[in-house]
Every structure is written in structure tokens, then in C-alpha cells.
Amino acid sequence: MTEKTKILIVDDKAENLFALQQILGSLKIEIIEASNGNEALTALLYHSFALVILDVHMPGMNGFEVAEFMRGQQETKKIPIIFLSAIFASEHHQLKGYESGAIDFITKPFPPKVLINKVKIFVEFYEQKQILQKEIEERKKSEIALRESEERYRSLVEATTSIIWSADSSGGFVVPQPSWEKYTGQPWEEYKDFGWTKKIHSDDIERLLQGWEKACQEISVYESHGRLWNSRLEDWRDFQVKAVPIMETDGSLREWVGIIEDITEQKQLEAQLLQSQKMDALGTLAGGIAHEFNNILAAMQGYGELLLVELPEGSIEKDYAANIYQAGKRAQDLVLQILTFSRMDLGQRSVYDIPPLIKEAIKMMKATIPSSIQIEQDIDSHCSPILANPTQINQVLLNLCTNAFHAMGKEGGVLRITLKEKKYEAEEVFLSALKAGSYLNLTVSDTGCGMSAKVQEKIFDPFFTTKEVGEGTGLGMSVVHSIVEQHEGLITVDSQLASDQYPGRTTIQIYFPVVKAEKQEGKQEESILAKERNHILVLDESPMLTKFYQKALKRMGYEVTTFNECADALEEFQRNTDKYDLVFMEYSMKLLDGNNLVPYLLKTRPNVPIILAVEHTDAIMEIKRNTKGVRAYAIKPLEIKDLLPLIQKILK
């Protein structure tokens, strides 16, 4: 409910106050009474009045004194005052009333309508003034809120890494855009109107402008993406842009407001995720292919090895057998690379000094590379050891250098290999995948043709190659990447494609975490000669392999019984428990794998020696966690010279 407008009437006679109440009672106002000057001043402290009607002749403080006091106070000096008097009605008193601050002087008696009309005027004036004052206050609040909103918006724009921009109805910049200048380094004179297009990549500008023109014609939301120059990073950055039209009240287009967001890191993460998923899928496929290859290669190499032993020296047949055996070895190397890529073959790792290995590998390469290629090396011999598989480290260096040789071609160039130990503190780690600590930094750089950005994106994809058909498998760099990851390291690539202006170059850096531990010395191999005629139970799903194992082991003096079905082998072993001195079996079988079969064998005869044939070394760690009692493990495909010493060692 709206509060009524108040007026104050002051008179020392009650009958006069009553009479004024009666006269003014028809007005929609609230009348406050005071019988003397002090009561009037007290009322002025607690109420806001549109008008004060003041009697002149009062005991104590008269009307003139009350008026003078009111005019001396900031809160009351603008309140209108009307004097009423019957005693002090002379011209002198009227002038004194006006001098003390009154705006009117009415002498008694007076017609009631005169007072009513005068009060109505001052009440209406007061009410209009209050309305206006309220509007002014609301406007001030709105202006303050607007300024605060603009300040928050300005702070937000300055704090965000995105580009907030506005353009006129045609799409041109007509006012400076601070966030655009900060990101691109382009001054206002250059990017105003459509000058901003100069900072868009040339391959994207036509598509972006076509979409922008369509949005301007249809007055619809604009969304697109492309590459924008970042002056601070001095590089092209991926971005996405969205703009919305701002309309006038009459429906016409006033301006465009939009935001440009840098999505480079987001796209990189998406690419890494896609690459990881692709590598996992191909790894699973590669692992399955390698499993089938291993069985074929084991038999092919095994029989080839037997032929080399049995055929006479100098015969054409022995030469054929040697070629078959060597072809099998090359195929075995390819399978090992596939397994390494699929992350199924970690290889046995130990604490190892890398510098001698790197130096020896460089020495061997110098004897095989063209004279047009110069090898420079800077190998720190005092580097700390790392936890590594030396064969795989050698494979990494060989693959990198082979790629470098091909990149330099017949023209030759410089191949530089460095190995340094570097320590990175937490604040110095500039590669997100590295943690603070010490690393061996292996760097292989060449002055070859270099690689384009598109080639660099696919360099670690399996079976991707830029070489001619028949010159490469496309597994080299994917194997390197897998080995580095398995060694908990990091690999980076920096390359510049050769052009008329710049020579080509490629630098690949690998970081291996160092360990502080003593080196493990290798052990001498045991003799491979069979000393007793022991009986071996052989279990493998491949009939081709069981036939080979039977021939090879019998030739070395062992009795052999072979099985291709788990149920048949278990039944025979349970029936003739003491007949067999050793069980040699494949771990991965379709119906019953080693995890399930080994416990049955050991339950039947707890001390029976068991050798499990596995296809990759990381399976050994899993088997050891889940299966107890296995004496030894053999990695397929097996060669006789590796299998026989293992059996002899177990049966010793």
C-alpha cells in the first residue's frame, strides 16, 4: 500500500488544530499535529512532509523562529511553509514571515477553499517531485549496474584466452578489438573493416568467407573453424568461431557478436586418443597374426635347422636348407617387430649401461653405410644406467639410423648421434609427458630431405612408409615408438621439409629414465648334451610342431610322447604319472590354457618339471602371478640350440 503524503500543522490552540483537520480532511493526505515549536521540530525529525502550516503566535518558540530553524537545516530547508495568523497580520509581520522562509502568509479568518487549493498545489508538487526523484534514483542505479556490468565484461574479455569480437551488419570490424590485437599482434589500422582476413590461413580463408557471407545474407548463427596466426607463439593455431546476430527493435540487423576459441590443444588430445585407439586395435590384430606365424616359423626353422645338421657339407641341398633357415630368421625378426609394436613383447629388461652399446652399433653402421654419409657422434661414457632390453635399444638406434640413411639418399649428408644425461627439475620440465628427474637423452639427427607436417602426423602409424614398394615394411618407427613407451620413455620429432629456401633436416630425441643400481652380469650357458635318456611329454595344438619336437628331441637322445589335445595329454599323464621326466607344453591353447592345465599336472605329481612355451615375454609375468610350479619358460619360435640347453638345465 502506497504511503500517504504528509503535512504538518502547528498551532498552540486545540480548536485551531481541529478546525484545520476539518478543512483539510477531504484531501487524501496524512495530517500530523504539533501544539508548539518543540513538538514541530521533533516531528520533522521522524517524518518527511510536503508542507508545514505554521501558526505565528505561540508560547515559547514562535512560528518565525521555527521557520528560521527549518531553513537552517539541510533536511528541512526546502519544505514549503505557510503561515496562519490573526494577531500578526500587518504588512510588517507578513514581510518578516517571508524573510524567515515562508512561501505564503494567510491571515485569519480565511475562506477554507483558499487553504484547500493552496495545500492541494503543494501536495501535488511534492508527489510529482517524489515520482521524479524515484525515477532519477532508479536511473542512477541502472547506470551504476550498467557500469559494473561493463566492467565485469571488460575484465572477462581481458582475462579470457578467447577472442571476443563484434562487427557491423556487413561483417567488418568498425571498432578496435583488443583481444584480437593481443592474440594476432595485428594493429587496428591493419585489421579494421576486412583487414582481419590477413591473419587467417590462406587454405581456410575462402571457405570461411563463403560461410560468413551466407550467414550475413540469411542473418543466421555463424559457426566455422580454421587456422589463425598467433603472434606470441609465432605459429598457426587451430580455432573455432561462433557468431550471433544482434537485432534492433524494428527487426533490422544491428551488429554481430562472436567468440573465437583456440582449440589446438583439444585437437591434439583428440588426435592422440584416436592414435592410441588405432594402435590398440592394430596391436590386437598384429598380436593374433604373430601367434599364427610363430607356429609356422617354429616348424620351418626347426626342420631347416635339422637339415643343416644332417646334410653333408658342400651339397646343394644344404645350401637350399641354409636359405630356407635364413628366410625363417628374417620372418622371425618381422614377427618380433610386430609383437613389439603390439606391446606384447616387452623383452627381459635389466640395469644396463647404454654408451658401449651405442658406440658398438655406430661402429657396425660405419662399415655398411655409403661413404657419402658422414657420422658424427658425441657419446657421454659416464651416463647412468637405465632399465633396458639391450636388443630393443639396439633396434631403436638401427631403425632411426636406417630412416636417416634413406632420407639423405645418394647425395649423402651428416648423421649425428648424441647421448647425454640430463636432469630436469620440476620447474624445468618443458615436455608435458616428462616428470622431474634424470634422463638419458638419445638424439639422432640428419640433413636429409625432412618431413612435411602431414608425414610427421603419421610417422608412428604401423605400416606407414614413404619408401618405394619393397623397400620397407612401414613398421620401423611404430616399433621405435612402442619400445620407447615400454621403457617408460618419451620420443619427440622435429623436422623441416627441404625447399628452395631451406635445407631439409630431421631431429629425433628420445628420453630414457635413468636408474641408480648395479649392472647385472650375464650367466654362461649350460652344455646342450643330453646325459640321460629321459622321457618328455610334449603338448602343442600344432601337429606340425609336435612332429618337429619329436624328431629333434629323439635325435638328441630323449624319448618323446606328443599330444595335440589337452584332454589326451592329461589323461595319459594321470595314467602314467612316473613315466615322464619333464612336460614341455604350449601355454596358449584354445580349450584349456596353461593357467588351467598346470595345476592338474602338479596335483597329479607335485614335483614334475614343466616348461611353458609362450609367444611374448610379458605373458611370463602374468603367468607367474597366476600359476605356480612352472620351472622355466621358452619364447616361440624356438630353435634347437636354445631349446636343448633349457631342457638339459631343468633335467640336471
Side-chain angles (χ1 to χ4, degrees), residues 54-105:
L54 191 60
D55 184 28
V56 176
H57 182 65
M58 293 184 294
M61 185 181 292
N62 62 38
F64 296 140
E65 291 173 335
V66 172
E68 289 174 356
F69 183 86
M70 287 177 59
R71 290 295 173 258
Q73 301 299 313
Q74 184 68 28
E75 295 80 5
T76 58
K77 67 179 183 179
K78 292 183 179 181
I79 299 176
I81 299 173
I82 296 178
F83 279 119
L84 291 178
S85 181
I87 299 175
F88 299 103
S90 65
E91 184 178 348
H92 168 73
H93 289 104
Q94 290 183 16
L95 289 174
K96 188 175 181 180
Y98 289 124
E99 288 175 357
S100 61
I103 59 172
D104 204 350
F105 200 110

Side-chain angles (χ1 to χ4, degrees), residues 4 27 36 114 274 337 397 402 418 437 458 503 577 608 652:
K4 288 183 178 181
L27 301 177
N36 54 59
V114 172
L274 180 62
Q337 290 194 52
L397 185 61
T402 299
T418 64
K458 297 182 178 181
T577 302
V608 61
K652 184 177 179 181

Side-chain angles (χ1 to χ4, degrees), residues 296-454:
I296 298 170
L297 289 174
M300 185 173 74
Q301 284 186 269
Y303 282 116
E305 196 173 2
L306 287 178
L307 285 172
L308 288 174
V309 173
E310 295 180 357
L311 290 172
E313 289 292 337
S315 64
I316 188 67
E317 291 82 0
K318 187 160 187 170
D319 185 51
Y320 292 160
N323 287 325
I324 293 172
Y325 180 77
Q326 290 301 321
K329 287 288 289 182
R330 286 194 292 272
Q332 181 183 359
D333 291 340
L334 180 59
V335 169
L336 287 175
Q337 290 194 52
I338 293 175
L339 284 170
T340 300
F341 153 67
S342 67
R343 300 178 185 177
M344 296 178 65
D345 186 25
L346 293 175
Q348 293 183 344
R349 292 189 290 166
S350 59
V351 178
Y352 208 87
D353 277 337
I354 296 301
L357 175 68
I358 301 297
K359 290 179 179 179
E360 183 63 27
I362 294 173
K363 183 178 179 182
M364 292 179 61
M365 283 188 287
K366 283 183 176 180
T368 58
I369 65 171
S371 58
S372 58
I373 294 177
Q374 177 186 352
I375 295 183
E376 296 180 354
Q377 59 177 303
D378 184 8
I379 311 299
D380 185 356
S381 301
H382 302 291
C383 292
S384 299
I386 66 172
L387 189 63
N389 180 311
T391 302
Q392 291 185 339
I393 298 297
N394 188 73
Q395 182 75 55
V396 166
L397 185 61
L398 178 62
N399 287 8
L400 294 180
C401 291
T402 299
N403 281 354
F405 298 157
H406 283 281
M408 289 184 282
K410 296 179 181 179
E411 294 79 9
V414 177
L415 171 65
R416 182 169 178 79
I417 304 169
T418 64
L419 182 70
K420 300 289 183 183
E421 181 173 348
K422 297 182 178 180
K423 184 176 182 180
Y424 296 103
E425 303 296 340
E427 64 272 11
E428 296 176 321
V429 177
F430 60 97
L431 298 167
S432 59
L434 277 185
K435 299 177 181 178
S438 295
Y439 294 84
L440 286 197
N441 178 206
L442 174 63
T443 304
V444 177
S445 59
D446 67 73
T447 58
C449 58
M451 293 178 284
S452 66
K454 290 185 178 180

Side-chain angles (χ1 to χ4, degrees), residues 278-288 338 341-344:
K278 183 167 59 175
M279 295 286 275
D280 287 343
L282 287 172
T284 302
L285 175 63
I338 293 175
F341 153 67
S342 67
R343 300 178 185 177
M344 296 178 65

Side-chain angles (χ1 to χ4, degrees), residues 464-617:
F464 172 78
T465 180
T466 57
K467 300 171 187 174
E468 298 294 331
V469 176
E471 290 188 7
T473 62
L475 281 172
M477 289 304 294
S478 61
V479 167
V480 168
H481 186 269
S482 293
I483 291 175
V484 172
E485 281 197 340
Q486 290 163 12
H487 284 72
E488 300 176 5
L490 179 73
I491 182 170
T492 66
V493 179
D494 178 36
S495 187
Q496 176 178 280
L497 187 65
S499 65
D500 295 337
Q501 295 179 327
Y502 303 102
R505 59 169 179 79
T506 298
T507 299
I508 297 179
Q509 297 196 67
I510 298 175
Y511 299 84
F512 293 114
V514 306
V515 294
K516 302 297 182 182
E518 297 295 328
K519 294 181 293 180
Q520 296 180 358
E521 299 295 337
K523 296 182 179 180
Q524 293 183 348
E525 295 185 357
E526 300 286 339
S527 170
I528 67 170
L529 298 176
K531 297 179 180 179
E532 299 180 21
R533 192 169 180 79
N534 301 104
H535 199 147
I536 302 175
L537 185 152
V538 176
L539 171 61
D540 195 294
E541 285 186 328
S542 171
M544 186 166 48
L545 277 180
T546 52
K547 287 181 181 179
F548 160 67
Y549 291 141
Q550 187 175 47
K551 290 181 180 294
L553 294 173
K554 278 188 174 182
R555 187 178 181 281
M556 297 304 297
Y558 295 105
E559 291 186 26
V560 182
T561 302
T562 63
F563 295 92
N564 300 117
E565 298 290 340
C566 293
D568 295 341
L570 182 58
E571 182 182 352
E572 165 62 18
F573 186 77
Q574 290 175 334
R575 188 170 55 245
N576 299 293
T577 302
D578 297 326
K579 178 179 177 181
Y580 299 101
D581 300 296
L582 183 142
V583 176
F584 175 68
M585 58 177 285
E586 181 182 13
Y587 172 73
S588 300
M589 291 179 285
K590 295 176 183 176
L591 298 179
L592 197 66
D593 63 20
N595 280 337
N596 297 312
L597 184 57
V598 168
Y600 285 112
L601 298 176
L602 293 174
K603 184 177 180 181
T604 303
R605 182 178 158 194
N607 63 342
V608 61
I610 299 175
I611 299 176
L612 279 185
V614 298
E615 295 182 2
H616 43 87
T617 54

